[in-house]
Protein backbone atom coordinates (compact mmCIF):
# COMPACT_ATOMS: atom_id res chain seq x y z
CA UNK A 1 0.00 0.00 0.00
CA UNK A 2 2.80 2.36 0.79
CA UNK A 3 4.32 1.80 -2.69
CA UNK A 4 0.94 2.36 -4.34
CA UNK A 5 0.38 5.59 -2.41
CA UNK A 6 3.84 6.80 -3.48
CA UNK A 7 3.09 6.00 -7.11
CA UNK A 8 -0.29 7.77 -6.90
CA UNK A 9 1.42 10.83 -5.44
CA UNK A 10 3.99 10.85 -8.23
CA UNK A 11 1.30 10.59 -10.88
CA UNK A 12 -0.74 13.38 -9.28
CA UNK A 13 2.39 15.52 -9.15
CA UNK A 14 3.01 14.96 -12.83
CA UNK A 15 -0.61 15.81 -13.63
CA UNK A 16 -0.36 19.06 -11.62
CA UNK A 17 2.88 19.87 -13.45
CA UNK A 18 1.00 19.69 -16.75
CA UNK A 19 -1.03 22.71 -15.70
CA UNK A 20 -4.58 23.49 -16.73
CA UNK A 21 -6.13 21.51 -19.54
CA UNK A 22 -6.33 23.50 -22.80
CA UNK A 23 -9.75 22.66 -24.14
CA UNK A 24 -8.95 24.52 -27.41
CA UNK A 25 -5.80 22.52 -28.11
CA UNK A 26 -7.47 20.43 -30.83
CA UNK A 27 -8.60 23.51 -32.76
CA UNK A 28 -5.23 25.20 -32.29
CA UNK A 29 -3.51 22.08 -33.53
CA UNK A 30 -5.65 22.07 -36.67
CA UNK A 31 -4.82 25.70 -37.39
CA UNK A 32 -1.11 25.23 -36.77
CA UNK A 33 -1.13 22.02 -38.84
CA UNK A 34 -2.80 23.80 -41.79
CA UNK A 35 -0.28 26.64 -41.60
CA UNK A 36 2.60 24.19 -41.36
CA UNK A 37 1.39 22.21 -44.38
CA UNK A 38 0.95 25.45 -46.37
CA UNK A 39 4.42 26.73 -45.46
CA UNK A 40 5.95 23.35 -46.19
CA UNK A 41 4.37 23.36 -49.65
CA UNK A 42 5.70 26.88 -50.23
CA UNK A 43 9.20 25.85 -49.17
CA UNK A 44 9.04 22.84 -51.48
CA UNK A 45 8.02 25.06 -54.41
CA UNK A 46 10.85 27.52 -53.64
CA UNK A 47 13.38 24.70 -53.47
CA UNK A 48 12.16 23.33 -56.80
CA UNK A 49 12.37 26.81 -58.35
CA UNK A 50 15.87 27.29 -56.96
CA UNK A 51 16.98 23.95 -58.36
CA UNK A 52 15.52 24.88 -61.76
CA UNK A 53 17.23 28.29 -61.70
CA UNK A 54 20.55 26.69 -60.76
CA UNK A 55 20.15 24.27 -63.65
CA UNK A 56 19.39 27.10 -66.08
CA UNK A 57 22.33 29.16 -64.78
CA UNK A 58 24.65 26.18 -65.23
CA UNK A 59 23.42 25.68 -68.80
CA UNK A 60 23.78 29.39 -69.61
CA UNK A 61 27.28 29.51 -68.13
CA UNK A 62 28.24 26.48 -70.19
CA UNK A 63 26.85 28.05 -73.38
CA UNK A 64 28.51 31.41 -72.62
CA UNK A 65 31.80 29.67 -71.98
CA UNK A 66 31.60 27.84 -75.30
CA UNK A 67 30.62 31.01 -77.20
CA UNK A 68 33.31 33.08 -75.48
CA UNK A 69 35.99 30.46 -76.11
CA UNK A 70 35.10 30.20 -79.80
CA UNK A 71 34.95 33.99 -80.25
CA UNK A 72 38.15 34.49 -78.25
CA UNK A 73 40.04 32.07 -80.49
CA UNK A 74 38.77 33.84 -83.61
CA UNK A 75 39.57 37.30 -82.21
CA UNK A 76 43.01 36.07 -81.18
CA UNK A 77 43.67 34.75 -84.68
CA UNK A 78 42.59 38.04 -86.27
CA UNK A 79 44.60 40.07 -83.77
CA UNK A 80 47.75 38.15 -84.69
CA UNK A 81 47.09 38.59 -88.41
CA UNK A 82 46.40 42.35 -88.15
CA UNK A 83 49.44 42.81 -85.91
CA UNK A 84 51.75 41.08 -88.42
CA UNK A 85 50.33 43.18 -91.25
CA UNK A 86 50.66 46.52 -89.46
CA UNK A 87 54.09 45.75 -87.97
CA UNK A 88 55.39 44.06 -91.11
CA UNK A 89 56.03 40.82 -89.22
CA UNK A 90 56.41 39.64 -85.65
CA UNK A 91 53.78 37.86 -83.60
CA UNK A 92 51.05 38.70 -81.12
CA UNK A 93 48.49 36.82 -79.13
CA UNK A 94 45.87 37.20 -76.43
CA UNK A 95 45.68 34.69 -73.61
CA UNK A 96 43.61 34.13 -70.49
CA UNK A 97 45.22 34.67 -67.11
CA UNK A 98 43.05 31.88 -65.65
CA UNK A 99 42.03 29.25 -68.19
CA UNK A 100 40.17 27.28 -65.50
CA UNK A 101 37.70 30.15 -65.01
CA UNK A 102 37.12 31.49 -68.50
CA UNK A 103 34.18 33.78 -67.73
CA UNK A 104 35.95 35.58 -64.87
CA UNK A 105 39.50 35.47 -66.18
CA UNK A 106 41.52 38.49 -67.16
CA UNK A 107 42.90 38.84 -70.69
CA UNK A 108 46.61 39.34 -71.22
CA UNK A 109 48.44 40.64 -74.31
CA UNK A 110 51.76 39.27 -75.55
CA UNK A 111 53.49 40.85 -78.55
CA UNK A 112 56.82 40.46 -80.30
CA UNK A 113 57.55 43.11 -82.96
CA UNK A 114 60.00 42.08 -85.69
CA UNK A 115 63.50 41.70 -84.25
CA UNK A 116 62.45 42.41 -80.67
CA UNK A 117 61.81 40.33 -77.56
CA UNK A 118 59.26 42.14 -75.41
CA UNK A 119 58.29 40.91 -71.95
CA UNK A 120 56.19 43.91 -70.99
CA UNK A 121 54.10 46.28 -73.13
CA UNK A 122 55.60 49.22 -71.30
CA UNK A 123 58.90 48.43 -73.05
CA UNK A 124 57.34 49.40 -76.39
CA UNK A 125 57.64 52.91 -77.75
CA UNK A 126 54.59 55.17 -77.82
CA UNK A 127 54.06 54.53 -81.52
CA UNK A 128 54.38 50.77 -81.07
CA UNK A 129 51.90 50.80 -78.22
CA UNK A 130 49.48 52.77 -80.39
CA UNK A 131 49.92 50.26 -83.20
CA UNK A 132 49.19 47.35 -80.81
CA UNK A 133 46.03 49.13 -79.66
CA UNK A 134 45.00 49.70 -83.28
CA UNK A 135 45.51 46.00 -84.00
CA UNK A 136 43.01 45.20 -81.24
CA UNK A 137 40.54 47.99 -81.96
CA UNK A 138 40.20 47.49 -85.70
CA UNK A 139 37.16 45.46 -86.80
CA UNK A 140 37.72 41.77 -87.27
CA UNK A 141 35.87 39.04 -89.15
CA UNK A 142 34.25 37.85 -85.91
CA UNK A 143 31.53 40.51 -85.87
CA UNK A 144 32.27 43.34 -88.29
CA UNK A 145 30.54 46.65 -87.62
CA UNK A 146 28.81 48.57 -90.42
CA UNK A 147 30.29 51.86 -89.10
CA UNK A 148 33.49 52.61 -87.24
CA UNK A 149 34.58 56.04 -85.96
CA UNK A 150 38.30 56.54 -85.32
CA UNK A 151 39.52 59.70 -83.62
CA UNK A 152 43.23 60.30 -84.33
CA UNK A 153 44.25 56.84 -83.16
CA UNK A 154 47.27 56.95 -85.51
CA UNK A 155 48.57 60.30 -84.20
CA UNK A 156 51.61 58.68 -82.54
CA UNK A 157 52.64 56.61 -85.58
CA UNK A 158 55.48 57.44 -87.94
CA UNK A 159 54.80 57.95 -91.66
CA UNK A 160 55.57 54.34 -92.64
CA UNK A 161 53.14 52.91 -90.10
CA UNK A 162 50.52 55.52 -90.98
CA UNK A 163 50.68 54.27 -94.57
CA UNK A 164 50.25 50.65 -93.44
CA UNK A 165 47.37 51.67 -91.23
CA UNK A 166 45.65 53.59 -94.03
CA UNK A 167 46.13 50.74 -96.52
CA UNK A 168 44.58 48.31 -94.07
CA UNK A 169 41.56 50.60 -93.60
CA UNK A 170 41.14 50.72 -97.36
CA UNK A 171 40.90 46.94 -97.54
CA UNK A 172 38.41 46.88 -94.67
CA UNK A 173 36.01 49.30 -96.39
CA UNK A 174 34.39 46.41 -98.25
CA UNK A 175 32.40 45.55 -95.10
CA UNK A 176 32.86 48.57 -92.80
CA UNK A 177 32.46 52.28 -93.43
CA UNK A 178 35.09 54.31 -91.59
CA UNK A 179 34.68 57.86 -90.34
CA UNK A 180 38.19 59.00 -89.46
CA UNK A 181 39.22 62.14 -87.64
CA UNK A 182 42.85 62.75 -88.50
CA UNK A 183 45.60 65.27 -89.21
CA UNK A 184 47.92 62.74 -90.85
CA UNK A 185 48.56 63.12 -94.55
CA UNK A 186 48.87 59.38 -95.21
CA UNK A 187 45.41 58.71 -93.78
CA UNK A 188 43.87 61.59 -95.74
CA UNK A 189 45.40 60.33 -98.99
CA UNK A 190 43.68 56.98 -98.54
CA UNK A 191 40.23 58.49 -97.86
CA UNK A 192 37.38 58.45 -100.37
CA UNK A 193 36.03 61.82 -99.24
CA UNK A 194 37.60 64.56 -97.13
CA UNK A 195 35.63 66.97 -94.97
CA UNK A 196 37.26 70.00 -93.39
CA UNK A 197 35.93 72.60 -90.98
CA UNK A 198 37.09 76.17 -91.44
CA UNK A 199 36.15 79.47 -89.84
CA UNK A 200 36.53 82.18 -92.46
CA UNK A 201 34.39 84.51 -90.37
CA UNK A 202 34.60 84.84 -86.60
CA UNK A 203 32.13 82.48 -84.93
CA UNK A 204 30.94 81.00 -88.26
CA UNK A 205 32.09 77.49 -89.11
CA UNK A 206 32.04 76.21 -92.66
CA UNK A 207 32.37 72.64 -93.87
CA UNK A 208 34.41 71.97 -97.00
CA UNK A 209 34.25 68.76 -98.99
CA UNK A 210 37.02 67.40 -101.17
CA UNK A 211 36.76 64.34 -103.41
CA UNK A 212 40.30 63.06 -104.03
Amino acid sequence: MADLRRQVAEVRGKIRALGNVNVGAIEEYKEVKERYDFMKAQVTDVEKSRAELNRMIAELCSEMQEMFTASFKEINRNFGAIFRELFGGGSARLYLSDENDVLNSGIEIQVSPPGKVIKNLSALSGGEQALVAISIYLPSAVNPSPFCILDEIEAALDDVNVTRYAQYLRRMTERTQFIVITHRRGTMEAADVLYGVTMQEDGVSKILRLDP
Side-chain angles (χ1 to χ4, degrees):
M1 292 297 294
D3 290 339
L4 291 176
R5 290 190 184 96
R6 186 173 61 254
Q7 292 178 13
V8 169
E10 290 178 358
V11 171
R12 287 177 176 173
K14 291 180 180 179
I15 291 175
R16 284 194 298 269
L18 292 175
N20 298 328
V21 176
N22 184 4
V23 294
I26 295 176
E27 294 299 326
E28 291 179 4
Y29 169 78
K30 290 181 180 179
E31 293 177 0
V32 173
K33 181 68 166 57
E34 290 178 358
R35 184 180 179 188
Y36 169 78
D37 292 340
F38 173 78
M39 297 299 294
K40 184 178 181 181
Q42 294 294 313
V43 170
T44 301
D45 290 342
V46 170
E47 290 178 346
K48 289 181 179 179
S49 298
R50 182 178 64 177
E52 180 66 15
L53 286 174
N54 288 334
R55 184 189 64 79
M56 294 175 61
I57 291 172
E59 290 181 356
L60 287 173
C61 287
S62 178
E63 292 179 5
M64 288 190 296
Q65 183 170 339
E66 292 178 1
M67 294 173 61
F68 175 83
T69 301
S71 297
F72 183 77
K73 288 181 180 179
E74 185 67 14
I75 290 172
N76 197 11
R77 185 183 66 80
N78 281 278
F79 169 56
I82 296 172
F83 178 90
R84 287 190 297 273
E85 183 170 352
L86 294 182
F87 273 86
S91 62
R93 72 182 184 100
L94 303 173
Y95 65 94
L96 300 175
S97 56
D98 185 3
E99 295 184 354
N100 295 323
D101 190 2
V102 172
L103 298 181
N104 295 310
S105 173
I107 298 177
E108 304 292 339
I109 303 173
Q110 184 179 35
V111 298
S112 296
K116 292 185 178 181
V117 178
I118 301 297
K119 294 183 178 181
N120 194 310
L121 291 177
S122 61
L124 296 172
S125 66
E128 289 173 331
Q129 291 181 15
L131 208 55
V132 171
I134 291 172
S135 301
I136 297 176
Y137 292 156
L138 287 179
S140 65
V142 177
N143 188 19
S145 302
F147 293 94
C148 183
I149 299 177
L150 305 174
D151 187 359
E152 297 191 53
I153 64 173
E154 85 287 29
L157 302 182
D158 57 26
D159 292 338
V160 174
N161 286 325
V162 168
T163 301
R164 288 177 180 168
Y165 157 80
Q167 290 174 349
Y168 182 80
L169 290 187
R170 288 292 306 174
R171 287 193 294 275
M172 291 293 295
T173 54
E174 295 180 359
R175 58 192 177 195
T176 300
Q177 181 176 354
F178 291 94
I179 300 173
V180 181
I181 301 172
T182 183
H183 290 95
R184 300 303 298 272
R185 179 174 180 176
T187 305
M188 288 188 269
E189 289 177 346
D192 292 322
V193 180
L194 293 177
Y195 290 93
V197 179
T198 64
M199 189 178 292
Q200 296 178 349
E201 301 179 18
D202 292 340
V204 180
S205 298
K206 183 178 180 181
I207 296 178
L208 301 177
R209 170 173 173 161
L210 176 63
D211 296 312

